[in-house]
Amino acid sequence: AELRDHIPVLHATIAGCRFVGRTTVGNIRGLLVPNTTTDQELQHLRNSLPDKVVVQRIEERLSALGNVISTNDHVALIHPDTDRETEEIISDVLGVEVFRQTVGGQALVGSYAKFTNQGGMVHPRTTVQDMEELSSLLQVPLVAGTVNRGSDVLGGGMIVNDWCAFCGLDTTGTEISVIESIFKLQRRSNGMDMSAQPMDIVMDMRSSLIDQLS
């Protein structure tokens, strides 16, 4: 409820479940949902989102799409065992280049990698060589990191876009600083517009989080 003054908030379920972040994946062009999504849920999403956002239900046995796909507006990483048809739908609906990858030896790329159009964070055991390869594919800077006081399941503890990020209450000040840095979320200075609302949201949430942790 506290976010409604800053961003549109859509209440939804997928297959009757509330953990929508692990079952869906999307970007500025589209939203992919699993085949377990009911017709009513699908229609609710289509009615609630802008017309330019394509909502597509896909037949994929790896139905926790948020765990097996990580994407921004240009590139998507997917689980190596994702169906070929699903790969084509991801490319068409989200308008991205698609690469089959693992992150830090983990096939659940959506769980162990989070990236935007500005930067990305990957599993802490990802080697420097692998990070360089991934960074080259994604064309954004990457850092190995954690959330929630050392958790490597980045997808389960953080949601981030090009303007702001939200993470679990256990996330430390150091982890927050790394997140702000790699995703370029710091408040702008040196004569740039300091009134940008998304930056204010980030700073307010950061202060609130630090107060709760201290």
Side-chain angles (χ1 to χ4, degrees):
E2 64 189 84
L3 298 179
R4 265 187 194 161
D5 292 336
H6 308 292
I7 58 174
V9 175
L10 168 61
H11 292 275
T13 60
I14 299 295
C17 300
R18 292 184 294 176
F19 43 87
V20 294
R22 298 298 83 215
T23 54
T24 66
V25 66
N27 64 9
I28 196 171
R29 299 180 190 88
L31 177 70
L32 303 177
V33 298
N35 59 1
T36 52
T37 307
T38 67
D39 291 342
Q40 184 178 4
E41 290 169 335
L42 190 65
Q43 193 59 49
H44 172 59
L45 292 172
R46 286 175 173 161
N47 290 342
S48 303
L49 293 171
D51 291 339
K52 67 178 182 179
V53 178
V54 178
V55 182
Q56 177 73 45
R57 183 165 51 192
I58 60 177
E59 299 284 338
E60 167 59 54
R61 61 186 183 82
L62 301 175
S63 59
L65 302 179
N67 288 338
V68 298
I69 303 167
S70 188
T71 188
N72 60 15
D73 294 335
H74 308 290
V75 182
L77 304 181
I78 64 173
H79 189 294
D81 296 334
T82 304
D83 290 343
R84 186 67 61 183
E85 183 179 347
T86 300
E87 180 181 348
E88 293 175 359
I89 293 173
I90 293 168
S91 178
D92 291 342
V93 173
L94 302 186
V96 293
E97 277 193 275
V98 181
F99 298 97
R100 294 174 182 267
Q101 279 287 332
T102 59
V103 175
Q106 305 289 334
L108 297 177
V109 291
S111 298
Y112 297 105
K114 295 291 288 186
F115 58 92
T116 67
N117 301 319
Q118 305 297 323
M121 181 175 287
V122 294
H123 190 286
R125 292 182 182 172
T126 307
T127 65
V128 172
Q129 181 178 351
D130 285 348
M131 270 200 292
E132 289 176 351
E133 178 184 342
L134 288 171
S135 182
S136 178
L137 285 178
L138 302 173
Q139 291 296 295
V140 296
L142 296 178
V143 68
T146 58
V147 293
N148 286 329
R149 208 177 295 274
S151 171
D152 56 15
V153 187
L154 305 176
M158 170 174 60
I159 184 167
V160 59
N161 63 18
D162 289 342
W163 299 280
C164 60
F166 299 94
C167 49
L169 284 175
D170 289 336
T171 305
T172 67
T174 300
E175 288 171 332
I176 290 173
S177 295
V178 173
I179 291 168
E180 288 182 334
S181 176
I182 194 63
F183 292 111
K184 299 180 173 58
L185 299 175
Q186 303 99 322
R187 186 184 291 267
R188 303 298 189 226
S189 57
N190 299 327
M192 296 182 69
D193 182 10
M194 296 290 286
S195 64
Q197 189 184 55
M199 295 302 106
D200 293 337
I201 299 170
V202 171
M203 296 303 292
D204 291 344
M205 292 297 290
R206 182 176 187 274
S207 298
S208 174
L209 180 58
I210 291 174
D211 287 344
Q212 292 182 52
L213 289 172
S214 59

Short mmCIF file of all heavy atoms in Angstrom, two decimals, residues 50-86:
data_model
loop_
_atom_site.label_atom_id
_atom_site.label_comp_id
_atom_site.label_asym_id
_atom_site.label_seq_id
_atom_site.Cartn_x
_atom_site.Cartn_y
_atom_site.Cartn_z
N PRO A 50 -0.66 -1.79 -19.46
CA PRO A 50 -0.81 -0.98 -20.69
C PRO A 50 -0.97 -1.87 -21.91
O PRO A 50 -0.45 -2.98 -21.97
CB PRO A 50 0.51 -0.19 -20.74
CG PRO A 50 0.99 -0.15 -19.33
CD PRO A 50 0.56 -1.44 -18.71
N ASP A 51 -1.70 -1.37 -22.90
CA ASP A 51 -1.97 -2.15 -24.11
C ASP A 51 -0.70 -2.58 -24.83
O ASP A 51 -0.66 -3.62 -25.49
CB ASP A 51 -2.85 -1.35 -25.07
CG ASP A 51 -4.27 -1.17 -24.53
OD1 ASP A 51 -4.66 -1.96 -23.65
OD2 ASP A 51 -4.96 -0.23 -24.98
N LYS A 52 0.36 -1.76 -24.72
CA LYS A 52 1.60 -2.07 -25.44
C LYS A 52 2.37 -3.24 -24.81
O LYS A 52 3.30 -3.77 -25.41
CB LYS A 52 2.50 -0.85 -25.51
CG LYS A 52 3.05 -0.38 -24.17
CD LYS A 52 3.96 0.82 -24.33
CE LYS A 52 4.55 1.25 -22.99
NZ LYS A 52 5.47 2.40 -23.14
N VAL A 53 1.99 -3.63 -23.58
CA VAL A 53 2.63 -4.77 -22.92
C VAL A 53 1.88 -6.04 -23.28
O VAL A 53 0.72 -6.22 -22.92
CB VAL A 53 2.66 -4.59 -21.38
CG1 VAL A 53 3.29 -5.82 -20.72
CG2 VAL A 53 3.42 -3.32 -21.01
N VAL A 54 2.54 -6.93 -24.00
CA VAL A 54 1.92 -8.19 -24.44
C VAL A 54 1.99 -9.20 -23.30
O VAL A 54 3.08 -9.48 -22.78
CB VAL A 54 2.65 -8.75 -25.69
CG1 VAL A 54 2.03 -10.07 -26.10
CG2 VAL A 54 2.59 -7.74 -26.82
N VAL A 55 0.86 -9.74 -22.91
CA VAL A 55 0.82 -10.78 -21.87
C VAL A 55 0.60 -12.12 -22.56
O VAL A 55 -0.42 -12.33 -23.22
CB VAL A 55 -0.30 -10.52 -20.84
CG1 VAL A 55 -0.29 -11.60 -19.76
CG2 VAL A 55 -0.15 -9.13 -20.22
N GLN A 56 1.57 -13.02 -22.42
CA GLN A 56 1.56 -14.28 -23.17
C GLN A 56 1.67 -15.47 -22.22
O GLN A 56 2.59 -15.54 -21.40
CB GLN A 56 2.73 -14.31 -24.16
CG GLN A 56 2.87 -15.60 -24.95
CD GLN A 56 1.79 -15.74 -26.00
OE1 GLN A 56 1.50 -14.80 -26.73
NE2 GLN A 56 1.18 -16.91 -26.09
N ARG A 57 0.73 -16.39 -22.32
CA ARG A 57 0.79 -17.65 -21.56
C ARG A 57 1.54 -18.67 -22.40
O ARG A 57 1.27 -18.82 -23.58
CB ARG A 57 -0.63 -18.14 -21.24
CG ARG A 57 -0.69 -19.39 -20.40
CD ARG A 57 -2.10 -19.59 -19.84
NE ARG A 57 -3.13 -19.52 -20.86
CZ ARG A 57 -4.44 -19.44 -20.58
NH1 ARG A 57 -4.85 -19.41 -19.32
NH2 ARG A 57 -5.32 -19.39 -21.57
N ILE A 58 2.51 -19.35 -21.79
CA ILE A 58 3.33 -20.28 -22.55
C ILE A 58 3.32 -21.68 -21.94
O ILE A 58 3.21 -21.85 -20.73
CB ILE A 58 4.80 -19.79 -22.68
CG1 ILE A 58 5.46 -19.63 -21.32
CG2 ILE A 58 4.85 -18.49 -23.44
CD1 ILE A 58 6.92 -19.22 -21.41
N GLU A 59 3.42 -22.66 -22.83
CA GLU A 59 3.49 -24.08 -22.43
C GLU A 59 4.96 -24.44 -22.21
O GLU A 59 5.70 -24.67 -23.17
CB GLU A 59 2.89 -24.96 -23.52
CG GLU A 59 1.43 -24.69 -23.82
CD GLU A 59 0.50 -25.26 -22.76
OE1 GLU A 59 0.92 -26.20 -22.05
OE2 GLU A 59 -0.63 -24.75 -22.64
N GLU A 60 5.38 -24.44 -20.97
CA GLU A 60 6.77 -24.73 -20.64
C GLU A 60 6.79 -25.58 -19.37
O GLU A 60 6.22 -25.20 -18.36
CB GLU A 60 7.56 -23.43 -20.44
CG GLU A 60 8.93 -23.58 -19.80
CD GLU A 60 9.86 -24.48 -20.61
OE1 GLU A 60 10.04 -24.22 -21.81
OE2 GLU A 60 10.40 -25.44 -19.99
N ARG A 61 7.45 -26.75 -19.45
CA ARG A 61 7.46 -27.65 -18.28
C ARG A 61 8.21 -27.03 -17.10
O ARG A 61 7.90 -27.32 -15.94
CB ARG A 61 8.07 -29.00 -18.66
CG ARG A 61 9.50 -28.93 -19.13
CD ARG A 61 10.03 -30.26 -19.63
NE ARG A 61 11.43 -30.17 -19.99
CZ ARG A 61 12.43 -30.25 -19.13
NH1 ARG A 61 12.18 -30.44 -17.83
NH2 ARG A 61 13.69 -30.16 -19.52
N LEU A 62 9.20 -26.18 -17.37
CA LEU A 62 9.87 -25.43 -16.30
C LEU A 62 9.03 -24.19 -16.01
O LEU A 62 9.33 -23.09 -16.44
CB LEU A 62 11.29 -25.05 -16.74
CG LEU A 62 12.22 -26.21 -17.11
CD1 LEU A 62 13.54 -25.69 -17.65
CD2 LEU A 62 12.45 -27.12 -15.91
N SER A 63 7.93 -24.40 -15.27
CA SER A 63 6.87 -23.39 -15.19
C SER A 63 7.17 -22.22 -14.26
O SER A 63 6.48 -21.20 -14.31
CB SER A 63 5.56 -24.05 -14.77
OG SER A 63 5.69 -24.68 -13.51
N ALA A 64 8.19 -22.33 -13.41
CA ALA A 64 8.57 -21.19 -12.56
C ALA A 64 9.45 -20.26 -13.41
O ALA A 64 10.67 -20.22 -13.26
CB ALA A 64 9.29 -21.67 -11.31
N LEU A 65 8.81 -19.51 -14.28
CA LEU A 65 9.53 -18.73 -15.29
C LEU A 65 10.51 -17.73 -14.68
O LEU A 65 11.57 -17.47 -15.24
CB LEU A 65 8.54 -18.00 -16.20
CG LEU A 65 7.53 -18.89 -16.94
CD1 LEU A 65 6.59 -18.03 -17.78
CD2 LEU A 65 8.23 -19.93 -17.79
N GLY A 66 10.16 -17.17 -13.54
CA GLY A 66 11.05 -16.22 -12.88
C GLY A 66 12.34 -16.84 -12.40
O GLY A 66 13.33 -16.14 -12.19
N ASN A 67 12.34 -18.16 -12.21
CA ASN A 67 13.56 -18.86 -11.78
C ASN A 67 14.45 -19.27 -12.95
O ASN A 67 15.66 -19.43 -12.77
CB ASN A 67 13.19 -20.12 -10.98
CG ASN A 67 12.65 -19.81 -9.61
OD1 ASN A 67 12.90 -18.74 -9.06
ND2 ASN A 67 11.90 -20.74 -9.04
N VAL A 68 13.86 -19.45 -14.11
CA VAL A 68 14.62 -20.01 -15.24
C VAL A 68 14.91 -18.99 -16.34
O VAL A 68 15.58 -19.31 -17.32
CB VAL A 68 13.89 -21.23 -15.84
CG1 VAL A 68 13.77 -22.34 -14.82
CG2 VAL A 68 12.52 -20.86 -16.39
N ILE A 69 14.41 -17.76 -16.17
CA ILE A 69 14.66 -16.70 -17.16
C ILE A 69 15.06 -15.43 -16.42
O ILE A 69 14.44 -15.07 -15.42
CB ILE A 69 13.40 -16.41 -18.01
CG1 ILE A 69 12.90 -17.67 -18.71
CG2 ILE A 69 13.69 -15.31 -19.03
CD1 ILE A 69 11.51 -17.51 -19.32
N SER A 70 16.09 -14.78 -16.90
CA SER A 70 16.47 -13.46 -16.40
C SER A 70 16.63 -12.54 -17.60
O SER A 70 17.32 -12.90 -18.56
CB SER A 70 17.78 -13.53 -15.60
OG SER A 70 18.05 -12.30 -14.96
N THR A 71 16.01 -11.38 -17.56
CA THR A 71 15.99 -10.54 -18.76
C THR A 71 16.00 -9.06 -18.43
O THR A 71 15.60 -8.64 -17.34
CB THR A 71 14.75 -10.87 -19.62
OG1 THR A 71 14.84 -10.19 -20.87
CG2 THR A 71 13.47 -10.47 -18.91
N ASN A 72 16.46 -8.26 -19.39
CA ASN A 72 16.22 -6.83 -19.37
C ASN A 72 15.50 -6.49 -20.67
O ASN A 72 14.82 -7.35 -21.24
CB ASN A 72 17.52 -6.02 -19.15
CG ASN A 72 18.56 -6.26 -20.24
OD1 ASN A 72 18.27 -6.79 -21.31
ND2 ASN A 72 19.79 -5.85 -19.97
N ASP A 73 15.65 -5.29 -21.17
CA ASP A 73 14.93 -4.92 -22.40
C ASP A 73 15.66 -5.31 -23.67
O ASP A 73 15.16 -5.06 -24.78
CB ASP A 73 14.66 -3.41 -22.41
CG ASP A 73 13.71 -2.98 -21.31
OD1 ASP A 73 12.91 -3.82 -20.86
OD2 ASP A 73 13.79 -1.80 -20.90
N HIS A 74 16.84 -5.94 -23.53
CA HIS A 74 17.65 -6.24 -24.71
C HIS A 74 18.11 -7.70 -24.80
O HIS A 74 18.23 -8.24 -25.90
CB HIS A 74 18.89 -5.33 -24.73
CG HIS A 74 18.55 -3.89 -24.60
ND1 HIS A 74 17.92 -3.17 -25.59
CD2 HIS A 74 18.74 -3.01 -23.57
CE1 HIS A 74 17.74 -1.91 -25.19
NE2 HIS A 74 18.22 -1.79 -23.97
N VAL A 75 18.39 -8.32 -23.66
CA VAL A 75 18.97 -9.67 -23.64
C VAL A 75 18.29 -10.50 -22.56
O VAL A 75 17.93 -9.99 -21.50
CB VAL A 75 20.49 -9.61 -23.35
CG1 VAL A 75 21.09 -11.01 -23.36
CG2 VAL A 75 21.21 -8.72 -24.36
N ALA A 76 18.12 -11.80 -22.84
CA ALA A 76 17.60 -12.73 -21.85
C ALA A 76 18.54 -13.92 -21.70
O ALA A 76 19.05 -14.44 -22.70
CB ALA A 76 16.20 -13.21 -22.23
N LEU A 77 18.77 -14.34 -20.46
CA LEU A 77 19.46 -15.59 -20.16
C LEU A 77 18.40 -16.61 -19.76
O LEU A 77 17.48 -16.27 -18.99
CB LEU A 77 20.46 -15.41 -19.02
CG LEU A 77 21.53 -14.33 -19.18
CD1 LEU A 77 22.45 -14.31 -17.96
CD2 LEU A 77 22.33 -14.54 -20.45
N ILE A 78 18.51 -17.83 -20.26
CA ILE A 78 17.52 -18.84 -19.93
C ILE A 78 18.19 -20.14 -19.49
O ILE A 78 19.35 -20.40 -19.81
CB ILE A 78 16.57 -19.12 -21.12
CG1 ILE A 78 17.33 -19.72 -22.31
CG2 ILE A 78 15.85 -17.85 -21.53
CD1 ILE A 78 16.42 -20.17 -23.46
N HIS A 79 17.45 -20.94 -18.76
CA HIS A 79 17.87 -22.27 -18.32
C HIS A 79 18.25 -23.10 -19.55
O HIS A 79 17.54 -23.08 -20.56
CB HIS A 79 16.70 -22.91 -17.56
CG HIS A 79 17.03 -24.19 -16.86
ND1 HIS A 79 17.38 -25.35 -17.53
CD2 HIS A 79 17.03 -24.49 -15.54
CE1 HIS A 79 17.59 -26.31 -16.64
NE2 HIS A 79 17.39 -25.81 -15.42
N PRO A 80 19.36 -23.84 -19.49
CA PRO A 80 19.80 -24.60 -20.66
C PRO A 80 18.78 -25.61 -21.18
O PRO A 80 18.80 -25.97 -22.37
CB PRO A 80 21.06 -25.33 -20.16
CG PRO A 80 21.57 -24.46 -19.04
CD PRO A 80 20.35 -23.90 -18.39
N ASP A 81 17.86 -26.08 -20.32
CA ASP A 81 16.88 -27.09 -20.73
C ASP A 81 15.53 -26.51 -21.14
O ASP A 81 14.57 -27.25 -21.32
CB ASP A 81 16.67 -28.10 -19.59
CG ASP A 81 17.92 -28.90 -19.28
OD1 ASP A 81 18.77 -29.05 -20.18
OD2 ASP A 81 18.05 -29.36 -18.14
N THR A 82 15.46 -25.21 -21.29
CA THR A 82 14.21 -24.58 -21.72
C THR A 82 13.83 -25.05 -23.12
O THR A 82 14.69 -25.23 -23.99
CB THR A 82 14.37 -23.04 -21.74
OG1 THR A 82 14.79 -22.60 -20.45
CG2 THR A 82 13.05 -22.36 -22.09
N ASP A 83 12.53 -25.28 -23.35
CA ASP A 83 12.07 -25.75 -24.65
C ASP A 83 12.43 -24.75 -25.75
O ASP A 83 12.45 -23.54 -25.53
CB ASP A 83 10.54 -25.93 -24.64
CG ASP A 83 10.11 -27.11 -23.78
OD1 ASP A 83 10.96 -27.95 -23.45
OD2 ASP A 83 8.91 -27.17 -23.44
N ARG A 84 12.68 -25.29 -26.94
CA ARG A 84 13.02 -24.44 -28.08
C ARG A 84 11.88 -23.48 -28.43
O ARG A 84 12.10 -22.31 -28.76
CB ARG A 84 13.35 -25.31 -29.29
CG ARG A 84 13.87 -24.54 -30.50
CD ARG A 84 15.23 -23.94 -30.23
NE ARG A 84 16.24 -24.94 -29.92
CZ ARG A 84 17.50 -24.65 -29.59
NH1 ARG A 84 17.88 -23.39 -29.51
NH2 ARG A 84 18.37 -25.63 -29.32
N GLU A 85 10.65 -23.97 -28.34
CA GLU A 85 9.50 -23.11 -28.63
C GLU A 85 9.41 -21.96 -27.64
O GLU A 85 9.10 -20.82 -28.02
CB GLU A 85 8.21 -23.94 -28.58
CG GLU A 85 6.97 -23.14 -28.95
CD GLU A 85 5.71 -24.00 -28.91
OE1 GLU A 85 5.83 -25.23 -28.84
OE2 GLU A 85 4.62 -23.41 -28.96
N THR A 86 9.70 -22.25 -26.37
CA THR A 86 9.70 -21.20 -25.36
C THR A 86 10.75 -20.15 -25.67
O THR A 86 10.52 -18.94 -25.52
CB THR A 86 9.95 -21.80 -23.96
OG1 THR A 86 8.92 -22.74 -23.66
CG2 THR A 86 9.99 -20.72 -22.89
#
